[in-house]
Structures are given as C-alpha cells and as structure tokens.
Amino acid sequence: MRLRFGALVGLGLAGLVAGCMPEPPTDVTVRTYKVSGTSLNSLERSLATHGPSVPGLSGRAFAAVETAFLHSFEPAQTGGTCRYNRNGRVGLRSEVILPEWRQRDSAPPSLQQKWDVVSQYAVIHEAGHIKISQKYARILEQSYKRLSAPDCEKLEASTLREVERILSQHSSEQQRFDDTDGPRFERYLRSLGYSTGA
C-alpha cells in the first residue's frame, strides 16, 4: 500500500476476514510492527524505518499482505491419461502486515483522527489485495481440474507452465490495484466528509 501514513486501530482479524469472500478457503492472520512518535513528522520517520518492504516499491510501505497459494491436487494415472483428483482445492494463506502505534493516546486529537482514517483504509486496501488473490485461486483451481496429459510427468510440466502464466497475471493485477489506488482513497475520504481538493 503506497500511503505514507496510517495504522490498524480498533480493527482486528475478524473484521478483515468478514470483508473477504468465503470461497476459496482463506486463512488470514495479522502481524503488526511498532511505530512511535507523537507528531506527524516523527510518525512518518518511524513508518519509513520500520514499515514492510514490498517488491517494486522504493522505500518502505505503510502496510502489506503476503499471500501463498496452497493446493490439495494430486496427479493420478488412469489408463492412457493422467489427471488431477477432482475434489482438490486451491486456497490462500495470507498475512497482513500493519503498523501499531502505541503512543496514539498521547498525540494531539487531530493526529489521532488522521491516523484512524488512514488506518481503516489500510485494512480495506489490503482486503482488496486478498480478494484479487481469491480470484486467482479460483482460476488456478479450474486449471488443475481441466488439465490432463498422456502421463503424469507431462501433466506436471504443463501444469508448471500454466501456473507460471496465471501467477504472472495475478502479480500484474495486484500491481494495477496499487497503481490505481489514488481515486479509491479519495472516494473513501469524501465518503467520510473530507475534501480532497481539486
């Protein structure tokens, strides 16, 4: 997430999971990192030092999500065809990384308000990344069920190519989601009654 300022305040794992679609199977955990400061400048310095590193992003991110695709498909040879078991699934294991500001109560109310606004949007934004991953988990699952080959060695080779293609599309869509986040964040601010300027 390419916001410079924000955190998780009063929003936990239950709220994040509730914002995600129930299928495919998704295991979401939250990990926090500590930031300090009682002014905007000191908070931004702390975020820039301790925030998560994200591939393709210079500097540190405010928040991030790390996702792994997991599957339960096994190849089986039947006669002259190797296919994957039909009851296999593709699921996700996602870890959301968010800042924890322990000095919030000692900061000016205006800074607390800014923190709360952006921190809540961070949870929404990272849930959006998880929803994209869920979409590609479904695509991967359909591919496993569709693929077949004369033998299991050829099936695994064609599966590797297909998975690489799908994961490349997944990465591109995640990048587009970040690249086009500005208007979504402005709409979020306007929904709370903030003016975003011209």
Side-chain angles (χ1 to χ4, degrees):
M1 181 176 179
R2 294 179 180 176
L3 297 174
R4 296 178 63 201
F5 175 72
L8 173 66
V9 179
L11 292 177
L13 177 60
L16 200 153
V17 172
C20 299
M21 298 170 62
E23 294 288 340
T26 305
D27 176 27
V28 180
T29 58
V30 172
R31 173 165 57 91
T32 62
Y33 65 94
K34 294 177 177 61
V35 293
S36 60
T38 55
S39 69
L40 178 60
N41 287 339
S42 60
L43 272 175
E44 287 185 335
R45 284 195 302 271
S46 187
L47 288 163
T49 300
H50 301 292
S53 298
V54 176
L57 178 64
S58 61
R60 298 296 184 113
F62 166 76
V65 60
E66 297 175 352
T67 294
F69 292 94
L70 309 172
H71 75 86
S72 59
F73 286 96
E74 295 290 340
Q77 185 79 36
T78 304
T81 303
C82 183
R83 300 181 65 95
Y84 290 103
N85 54 305
R86 309 303 291 169
N87 60 347
R89 297 300 311 270
V90 174
L92 303 174
R93 180 177 296 147
S94 295
E95 181 179 62
V96 179
I97 305 166
L98 295 163
E100 178 184 355
W101 182 26
R102 292 193 167 181
Q103 294 168 305
R104 178 185 179 277
D105 292 342
S106 301
S110 61
L111 188 57
Q112 293 181 27
Q113 184 179 32
K114 290 176 183 178
W115 179 269
D116 292 350
V117 166
V118 181
S119 68
Q120 291 167 18
Y121 184 75
V123 175
I124 295 168
H125 178 92
E126 301 309 331
H129 278 299
I130 293 172
K131 288 181 181 180
I132 292 170
S133 295
Q134 288 177 318
K135 168 186 169 181
Y136 282 89
R138 289 190 290 272
I139 292 171
L140 283 166
E141 186 171 297
Q142 292 165 3
S143 293
Y144 274 105
K145 292 179 178 179
R146 175 178 47 81
L147 290 169
S148 65
D151 60 65
C152 292
E153 185 176 343
K154 291 179 180 177
L155 176 62
E156 291 182 1
S158 63
T159 300
L160 180 60
R161 292 191 297 271
E162 182 73 355
V163 167
E164 287 177 348
R165 182 185 67 81
I166 292 170
L167 292 183
S168 177
Q169 293 176 346
H170 170 255
S171 295
S172 296
E173 186 162 339
Q174 295 286 16
Q175 186 63 54
R176 284 195 301 274
F177 182 75
D178 276 337
D179 291 344
T180 59
D181 193 51
R184 285 192 299 272
F185 183 53
E186 289 181 2
R187 286 194 298 273
Y188 172 76
L189 291 176
R190 286 196 296 271
S191 75
L192 299 178
Y194 294 96
S195 172
T196 58

